[in-house]
Amino acid sequence: MTKNADHTPADAGRRDAMKCMAWAGAGVLWTIGGGVASSVLATAADAATRKSGSLDFVQISDTHIGFDKAANPDTLGTMREAIGKIKAMPVKPSFIIHTGDLTHLSKADEFDTVAQVMKDLNVPVFYTPGEHDTLDEGNGKLFLEHFGKGTWGTGYRSFDVSGVHFIGLVNVVNLNPDGQGHLGPEQIAWLAKDVAHLSPSTPIVVYAHMPLFDAYVPWGWGTVDAQQALMPLRRFGSVTVLNGHIHQVITKIEGNISFHTTRSTAYPQAAAGTPGASPGPLKVPADQLRHVLGVRDITRLHGRGALALVDQTLA
Amino acid sequence: MLNLTPVRPVLAIALLAALSAAASLSPNPLGAAAEAATPGKATIKIANFDFGPATITVPAGTSVTWTNNDDDAHSVVADNKAFRSAPLDTGESYSFTFATPGTYAYHCGLHPQMHGKVVVTR
């Protein structure tokens, strides 16, 4: 389920703009432009509009290849189903963003499997690591050897597609006892420099594994230096942040920045702060599993300068 | 009913064991459960995203073993980087021998909201 996280009083106007949040079979469609978010039913007409969109890409996350416990003994199978879902989309995405936890234990064969399965889509894939991908002795060296081409430092990068500036951040390396994700001063300085020359009308998409907003800090669902990192992005009209890690869809609007976590293809996790629960794999009845796993399709609507997000479950 | 008699000695032994365990526990409640098991060894269970016990006190030279009982992976990383385990999948263990007295705070490298402490005495 999509859930609006808490809003500050200053966000009241934005909240009003979001009141028409709605669901359809395909999922909720968010359109974000000029700092104002709205949502409409995802209908066949929208699909037609999206066909003429100038940009279409997919976010996949938390595939956890190597995990085989009760919550999902076949994570490879469900990842393949997710790939099938993407292949069946009416518009072929021009690229894929994987927002981390590709693997469960950072093993070489797990990374190889992920690369092999993703190859089936035959489009470029941009990966950012999750904390499960940096467990090797080299603190993420194996991940970088597999997927780090063209990245800086721990694996961050930026690129431009159809007038949208994409920024992939890494907030999972050398996690501190402060209990959350962190980016570190080097990456934050890089980010400020990366966007310095851009016009404020450039749509920005930021992606990282752990939420770049406080989704639920007692469970570590946040990034301790995210506010500092996002400072240089406040002047832009539209900033869309895509995260994984929490295996569920949560959206938060904060001024010009909208944050969206997405589903896993492997297993669900409890809703933030569920009493008595922990942020680990959640076992649901087998016939329910595919209703809580999924991927996200993102389109820039033609001529509107807005991004539309559609969250799709496997079932 | 007739079978009750042979049971009594067993009960007595169990009672004695419980009493001696309680006696050995009382002088040093902090981490005593771990010490009581085997001299020179202590164990910490990782379950439900917690280290248990979260704080243990052991004499220098003790080998501490962490075992992961969760379905998710965890790891054990000293806040000062003095030790760092590989990822521990379900049922896997990691041991570290504390040679030097001091207080060692540690966390899970995957879930840094999980904290624990090993106090090493002389």
Side-chain angles (χ1 to χ4, degrees), chain A residues 67 69-70 104-105 131-132 134-137 139 174-177 179-180 210 218-220 267 276 278-281, chain B residues 48-49 70-73 75 77 79 81 84-90 92 106-115:
Chain A
F67 178 86
K69 302 300 182 297
H104 196 60
L105 297 170
E131 75 283 359
H132 282 265
T134 56
L135 298 170
D136 57 310
E137 279 185 22
N139 282 324
N174 284 327
L175 293 176
N176 292 322
Q180 297 181 65
M210 289 191 171
W219 283 359
Y267 53 81
S278 65
Chain B
N48 205 24
F49 282 66
D70 270 345
D71 272 357
D72 202 356
S75 71
V77 182
D79 289 4
K81 314 274 178 190
R84 174 183 188 252
S85 78
L88 304 177
D89 204 357
T90 309
E92 292 184 339
Y106 65 89
H107 58 279
C108 170
L110 285 94
H111 312 99
Q113 75 273 17
M114 294 167 59
H115 295 122

Side-chain angles (χ1 to χ4, degrees), chain A residues 63-66 74-77 79-80 83 98 102-103 107-120 127 146-147:
Chain A
T63 46
H64 283 271
I65 291 303
D74 186 17
T75 49
L76 178 56
M79 182 182 179
R80 286 197 173 121
I83 299 304
H98 193 313
L102 290 58
T103 72
K107 292 181 178 167
D109 62 328
E110 295 173 346
F111 286 120
D112 290 342
T113 301
V114 171
Q116 194 60 39
V117 173
M118 295 301 284
K119 208 180 264 181
D120 201 23
Y127 298 89
H146 279 79
F147 306 111

